[in-house]
């Protein structure tokens, strides 16, 4: 896939660009230091737990979320007493800003690996079946307000370094997976590569 515009969520100062897009954009909750002049990508500060992605519909060919979904709460109580589902809302927003057929690439520490729980800011525990709430013509997540639909390109347990560069040789990825299984108590992250279905 050759993307023209890519958005990295939770980007910090080094957004990922796994599809080699011509233009890179980033969103994060942090302020960028005023002393940083040319960061090489368009950056927008936004709290995606309570705010929408600040771009128009059908704007991006691809979106990535590396070690990000686990920081987005599944449910919060708003100041007006109503409840909100930030993770569902975020998946709606990702679907909205993707072009038809656009790709979402997400890498998240997942249950039952200890990496899912060790960081005290992890509040959304992804499992091997969480993606199923967002796929197909009638996603299960629609009962909670999900309005989009994704198709699966790949969903699997993955070594983190394999997801940062999608063009690595397969033999290298396989060796890394075996090494993680043997030395680190197994693979810690789930990789989702989903396609926005907008027919």
């Amino acid at each position: 896939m050759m993307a023209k515009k890519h958005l990295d969520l939770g980007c910090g100062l080094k957004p990922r660009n796994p599809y080699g897009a011509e233009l890179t954009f980033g969103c994060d909750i942090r302020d960028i230091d005023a002393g940083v002049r040319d960061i090489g990508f368009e950056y927008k500060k936004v709290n995606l737990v309570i705010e929408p992605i600040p771009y128009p519909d059908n704007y991006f060919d691809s979106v990535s979320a590396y070690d990000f979904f686990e920081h987005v709460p599944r449910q919060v109580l708003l100041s007006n007493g109503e409840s909100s589902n930030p993770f569902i809302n975020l998946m709606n927003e990702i679907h909205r800003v993707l072009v038809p057929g656009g790709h979402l690439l997400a890498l998240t520490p997942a249950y039952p690996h200890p990496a899912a729980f060790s960081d005290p800011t992890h509040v959304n525990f992804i499992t091997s079946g969480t993606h199923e709430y967002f796929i197909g013509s009638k996603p299960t997540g629609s009962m909670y307000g999900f309005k989009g639909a994704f198709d699966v390109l790949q969903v699997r347990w993955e070594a983190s370094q394999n997801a940062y560069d999608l063009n690595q040789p397969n033999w290298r990825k396989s060796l890394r997976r075996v090494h993680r299984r043997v030395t680190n108590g197994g693979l810690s992250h789930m990789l989702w590569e989903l396609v926005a279905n907008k027919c």
Side-chain angles (χ1 to χ4, degrees):
M1 172 190 177
M2 184 55 176
K4 293 181 181 175
K5 289 188 282 193
H6 177 77
L7 173 65
D8 188 40
L9 304 176
C11 65
L13 285 174
K14 295 182 179 179
R16 304 281 181 188
N17 186 3
Y19 298 106
E22 295 171 19
L23 300 172
T24 307
F25 300 74
C27 288
D28 204 315
I29 197 168
R30 306 171 196 164
D31 283 316
I32 288 185
D33 185 351
V36 177
R37 296 277 183 243
D38 182 19
I39 57 175
F41 67 102
E42 181 175 306
Y43 177 83
K44 293 205 177 177
K45 179 184 175 187
V46 60
N47 182 347
L48 293 172
V49 172
I50 56 174
E51 298 174 280
I53 295 174
Y55 290 98
D57 297 356
N58 305 310
Y59 194 72
F60 294 105
D61 300 287
S62 56
V63 172
S64 59
Y66 288 90
D67 294 295
F68 180 70
F69 284 167
E70 67 273 19
H71 299 281
V72 179
R74 291 190 176 214
Q75 193 168 63
V76 295
L77 189 62
L78 302 174
S79 59
N80 63 5
E82 293 181 16
S83 63
S84 175
N85 298 316
F87 184 51
I88 296 287
N89 297 341
L90 177 61
M91 291 301 290
N92 276 328
E93 283 294 294
I94 291 169
H95 189 269
R96 179 185 67 77
V97 300
L98 280 170
V99 299
H103 289 206
L104 165 63
L105 185 71
L107 183 74
T108 310
Y111 173 86
H113 196 279
F117 305 99
S118 57
D119 185 328
T121 66
H122 290 182
V123 294
N124 183 10
F125 302 111
I126 303 299
T127 73
S128 59
T130 303
H131 71 284
E132 295 173 3
Y133 280 78
F134 308 105
I135 62 168
S137 59
K138 295 181 181 177
T140 307
S142 64
M143 75 172 93
Y144 303 115
F146 180 61
K147 299 177 180 102
F150 287 97
D151 297 319
V152 173
L153 274 183
Q154 57 179 327
V155 172
R156 67 172 184 268
W157 288 95
E158 186 57 276
S160 300
Q161 291 174 319
N162 287 350
Y164 299 141
D165 177 4
L166 297 179
N167 297 317
Q168 295 176 66
N170 285 332
W171 64 265
R172 182 176 294 155
K173 293 180 187 178
S174 296
L175 282 176
R176 198 171 277 134
R177 284 186 206 109
V178 169
H179 181 260
R180 294 289 185 275
R181 285 186 181 111
V182 171
T183 62
N184 290 358
L187 296 169
S188 59
H189 284 63
M190 286 297 302
L191 178 130
W192 297 356
E193 190 173 18
L194 308 180
V195 177
N197 184 338
K198 294 190 168 189
C199 38

